Amino acid sequence: MRIGELSRRTGVSPRALRYYEEQGLLAPQRRPSGYREYEERDVTTVRRVQVLLSAGLGTTAIAEIGPCVDDPDVVLVGRCPELRDGIARERARITAAIDDLTAARDILDSLVGRPL
């Protein structure tokens, strides 16, 4: 599939997809015409990148995690134990942020009353 179709299927702009390629997150084949050719697995890769970006990971960290991914349902496998500690720290950071946001929401709820 070409970049426009991948963009439509993932909701990610072509510009962002080209950036992902520059960062080593995607590696499309090139047609003789120079057009990028993406595979079905790239849809899953882009969705995973989006999730990890929204979790606060940078593209450098995501590129390090990429080779450790074996299938769409398992994000990290045993081949990359050196990444586990860093990912565990990121998870703890995200959990703390969620806790802080939940506490802030609870305070706001107490001030304005909980929504129905």
Side-chain angles (χ1 to χ4, degrees):
M1 80 187 80
R2 295 205 2 218
I3 197 166
E5 183 178 346
L6 182 61
S7 175
R8 279 187 296 282
R9 291 185 59 190
T10 61
V12 175
S13 72
R15 181 177 181 197
L17 294 172
R18 287 189 290 274
Y19 176 74
Y20 293 172
E21 182 181 356
E22 289 172 15
Q23 299 302 306
L25 303 174
L26 288 173
Q29 299 296 314
R30 291 287 186 149
R31 291 183 176 178
S33 63
Y35 286 110
R36 291 167 177 85
E37 184 69 29
Y38 295 94
E39 298 179 15
E40 190 63 33
R41 66 186 162 96
D42 292 319
V43 173
T44 301
T45 299
V46 170
R47 289 182 178 146
R48 181 175 291 119
V49 167
Q50 289 291 288
V51 167
L52 294 172
L53 285 171
S54 68
L57 295 176
T59 54
T60 302
I62 295 169
E64 289 178 34
I65 292 169
C68 301
V69 176
D70 270 348
D71 69 55
D73 298 322
V74 178
V75 174
L76 189 63
V77 295
R79 308 188 284 174
C80 302
E82 67 278 7
L83 295 179
R84 289 188 186 274
D85 290 341
I87 292 172
R89 282 191 299 278
E90 275 301 307
R91 185 182 187 289
R93 182 192 63 76
I94 291 167
T95 299
I98 290 169
D99 292 345
D100 291 345
L101 288 170
T102 300
R105 184 189 61 204
D106 291 346
I107 290 169
L108 292 174
D109 284 349
S110 71
L111 293 172
V112 298
R114 294 195 185 272
L116 298 176

